[in-house]
Amino acid sequence: MTVKEVMKNKKYELVPPDGGWGYVIWISVIINGIATASFLGSFGIIFNELFIQLKMGSTSITLLNGINAMCVALSGFMTGPLLKFLSTRQLGMVAAFFINLGTFGTVFVNSKLLFFVCQGLLQNIGIGFLLNITYSVINEYFVKRRLLSLSVTQTIPAIIALFSPQLVNMVINYYGFRGAFILLSAINMHTFVAVCLMQPVAWHMKKIEIPNVESSEMKLLLVQDKTDQHIPCVKLSDKEKEVEQNIDKKGEKDLELDVATEKSKSIRGIILEAIDLKLMKTFILSNAGLGLAICGFADLTFTLMLPQTLYAMNWTEDEVARAVSLNCFGDLVTRILFIIGSSWLVRFESQQIYLVGLFLAVTTRLGMLGFENVTTILTFLTIMGVSKCTIIMLIPQVIAEAVKPEQFTSAMGIFMLSFGFINLSFGPIIGAVRDLTDSYPTAIYIITSCFGIVIMFWIVEMVYKKNKHKRKPNTQISKKGLS
């Protein structure tokens, strides 16, 4: 065999770069994260003066939060279907336009209706699109370094969010509320630059050689002809015939799919093509879908309820501030540890790491309610920051491992939709239970039980999958023995 023939026989496949332009994607995602974190991290400080001007009470603010959650959920869910008609950067530009239109429009707000339109609808529709797009781009560019990428791109915005309240307060003192929001609009304008950096991963795919396993596995059987025993003839093995049959079947299926797509040109056909109903039926009730949404809801509800819970325990304002700071500190340290130890953590499945975070969430919350000593409760709250980081940061990683790469955006959208509906449905119920019982511990026990239920079902699923994989080789061996 000549060198040219050897080169012709070599086969290659395209794989994600796991670096290269992917590091520019890091910068893009971090820019988007900073724009969002700087706003969300100081929401109450920014709008405190406006809430007073518009006479917005607790009911109006609760309604605004509900609209925010629903808009993010719906736009996140629609990202997958829209990406079948638009490119990633085109939809990213639409998202950046909505975010900037909502942010800049808030500068001129003078009524509740306009405020709900700018903040509740426009800005959060853009945030939902952008959130799903950024996670999808990271999932496309990184496989081996996906955990490291998620850690880096979420840690830096988290650090910015930690210091943004002080910076925003300083800017408001100098320029006033509307002047501060103009500066925030200028920061959000960088989302257009960030979206431009999101080049298609197909432009940067790496070409690696595929080992020629098929030729080594294929057996050539020499069969002598009866007429001339000196002339051997070559017979293809059963394995090669099987390969040919599979190729024929695949071709027939592709032809059937082409015919089906030509027939379904109606509006209903377009909708069914855009929305992956098969994935929705299987993923929405799985632990990676509904389980993650329940855990995200429980963690968010507890975070919002924590200050009031501590005040009900007769803590001072300084002690409550210290408790919240230590909880954020535990979260931030865990994110940094994820960056440092990402090369070691890839040995474990993300679901296993997530389960550890859920166990910590249950034990720390029960421990906080079981003790009255301030130092002990502060210790539990610091450790709780570890579980908070794990529950929130690993969501894209768990989803990526649960579905095929091309289904990630749709699966992320289904998760966001589930998260939004659960917040709207069960959030008021937990609030009503707290009001009826006049007890924060009762509400926290209900929240903790959500984590416990998910842990139970997730362990059952993991044990079932492990036993299923163990049974497969035995069935294959028995079949070979019978044959």
Side-chain angles (χ1 to χ4, degrees):
M1 249 186 163
T2 62
V3 177
K4 289 184 178 179
E5 289 176 345
V6 172
M7 293 299 292
K8 284 181 181 179
N9 291 331
K10 284 186 177 181
K11 295 181 179 179
Y12 298 90
E13 69 174 342
L14 297 174
V15 296
D18 259 315
W21 192 262
Y23 296 128
V24 180
I25 296 298
W26 280 10
I27 298 172
S28 169
V29 175
I30 288 169
I31 290 172
N32 290 331
I34 289 173
T36 307
S38 59
F39 169 75
L40 296 177
S42 51
F43 181 84
I45 298 173
I46 293 175
F47 291 123
N48 183 46
E49 185 179 337
L50 186 63
F51 287 157
I52 296 171
Q53 289 179 8
L54 300 179
K55 298 178 181 178
M56 290 181 64
S58 299
T59 305
S60 300
I61 294 171
T62 305
L63 179 61
L64 175 65
N65 290 333
I67 294 172
N68 291 349
M70 207 60 238
C71 287
V72 171
L74 288 173
S75 58
F77 173 71
M78 290 304 299
T79 302
L82 287 173
L83 283 177
K84 295 185 179 181
F85 304 101
L86 300 171
S87 68
T88 301
R89 287 200 284 187
Q90 286 173 341
L91 187 56
M93 283 294 178
V94 172
F97 173 76
F98 272 108
I99 290 172
N100 284 278
L101 183 63
T103 307
F104 191 69
T106 309
V107 177
F108 308 99
V109 161
N110 54 12
S111 67
K112 284 184 184 181
L113 178 61
L114 189 59
F115 181 69
F116 274 63
V117 169
C118 291
Q119 282 299 311
L121 291 175
L122 296 176
Q123 183 163 310
N124 285 282
I125 286 173
I127 288 174
F129 284 140
L130 201 60
L131 193 64
N132 199 343
I133 287 171
T134 51
Y135 286 138
S136 299
V137 171
I138 289 176
N139 185 63
E140 289 175 352
Y141 268 87
F142 295 92
V143 178
K144 295 178 181 177
R145 298 179 182 174
R146 188 179 292 152
L147 181 60
L148 175 63
S149 303
L150 290 171
S151 303
V152 171
T153 53
Q154 292 190 38
T155 301
I156 295 176
I159 295 172
I160 299 296
L162 196 64
F163 295 102
S164 63
Q166 291 83 1
L167 294 173
V168 168
N169 195 28
M170 189 186 305
V171 172
I172 289 174
N173 290 333
Y174 274 104
Y175 302 105
F177 151 69
R178 300 189 188 275
F181 225 82
I182 290 173
L183 289 177
L184 189 61
S185 301
I187 294 172
N188 281 346
M189 289 288 287
H190 289 80
T191 52
F192 287 107
V193 179
V195 169
C196 289
L197 295 175
M198 293 181 178
Q199 294 183 359
V201 70
W203 296 2
H204 303 280
M205 296 286 272
K206 289 194 301 185
K207 188 169 73 170
I208 62 169
E209 185 181 346
I210 305 173
N212 198 2
V213 180
E214 192 175 306
S215 61
S216 62
E217 288 182 354
M218 225 174 259
K219 298 177 181 178
L220 294 174
L221 302 176
L222 295 176
V223 180
Q224 291 185 339
D225 193 6
K226 290 182 181 180
T227 56
D228 192 351
Q229 295 181 358
H230 298 288
I231 303 174
C233 64
V234 180
K235 182 181 178 182
L236 290 174
S237 66
D238 293 335
K239 184 174 181 66
E240 189 169 351
K241 288 182 181 179
E242 187 181 343
V243 171
E244 289 180 352
Q245 289 174 0
N246 290 337
I247 291 171
D248 292 338
K249 288 179 181 178
K250 187 179 178 182
E252 290 175 4
K253 287 180 181 178
D254 291 340
L255 187 61
E256 290 175 3
L257 286 172
D258 291 338
V259 173
T261 50
E262 286 180 5
K263 288 181 179 179
S264 58
K265 289 183 179 179
S266 61
I267 296 174
R268 182 175 176 273
I270 294 170
I271 294 171
L272 291 175
E273 184 184 354
I275 300 174
D276 196 341
L277 294 177
K278 186 179 178 181
L279 176 66
M280 186 179 290
K281 290 176 183 177
T282 55
F283 182 75
I284 198 168
L285 295 177
S286 66
N287 286 311
L290 187 61
L292 290 179
I294 292 172
C295 292
F297 156 74
D299 186 77
L300 177 63
T301 306
F302 176 83
T303 302
L304 296 174
M305 201 177 286
L306 178 60
Q308 285 76 19
T309 304
L310 297 178
Y311 282 127
M313 296 166 65
N314 297 321
W315 283 37
T316 64
E317 288 188 2
D318 291 338
E319 288 173 334
V320 172
R322 192 183 306 121
V324 174
S325 299
L326 285 173
N327 185 256
C328 294
F329 176 75
D331 180 7
L332 183 60
V333 169
T334 308
R335 290 173 187 269
I336 295 170
L337 290 176
F338 266 113
I339 295 174
I340 297 170
S342 59
S343 57
W344 178 75
L345 288 171
V346 292
R347 301 175 187 177
F348 305 96
E349 292 182 7
S350 59
Q351 293 184 4
Q352 295 173 341
I353 303 173
Y354 200 86
L355 270 178
V356 173
L358 294 183
F359 275 115
L360 284 175
V362 172
T363 53
T364 50
R365 281 162 177 77
L366 293 177
M368 186 191 85
L369 297 175
F371 292 89
E372 295 182 358
N373 182 268
V374 173
T375 306
T376 307
I377 294 175
L378 288 175
T379 305
F380 278 118
L381 286 171
T382 307
I383 301 171
M384 202 181 293
V386 178
S387 68
K388 181 181 178 181
C389 169
T390 308
I391 290 169
I392 301 302
M393 197 184 75
L394 287 181
I395 287 173
Q397 179 77 357
V398 173
I399 294 174
E401 289 185 2
V403 298
K404 296 176 182 178
E406 61 271 15
Q407 294 177 325
F408 175 82
T409 305
S410 298
M412 192 71 193
I414 293 169
F415 158 76
M416 293 174 71
L417 186 66
S418 304
F419 179 74
F421 273 116
I422 289 171
N423 268 285
L424 283 178
S425 304
F426 292 97
I429 292 173
I430 291 179
V433 169
R434 205 237 46 101
D435 292 337
L436 289 172
T437 59
D438 196 24
S439 170
Y440 281 101
T442 303
I444 292 175
Y445 280 126
I446 295 173
I447 291 169
T448 307
S449 66
C450 294
F451 293 119
I453 292 169
V454 174
I455 289 172
M456 183 178 65
F457 278 103
W458 219 317
I459 290 174
V460 170
E461 181 184 318
M462 291 177 72
V463 170
Y464 171 75
K465 286 182 178 179
K466 190 176 181 181
N467 292 334
K468 187 179 178 182
H469 287 307
K470 282 183 179 179
R471 287 196 299 267
K472 276 186 178 180
N474 295 332
T475 54
Q476 290 174 358
I477 290 168
S478 61
K479 285 179 183 178
K480 287 180 180 178
L482 289 169
S483 60

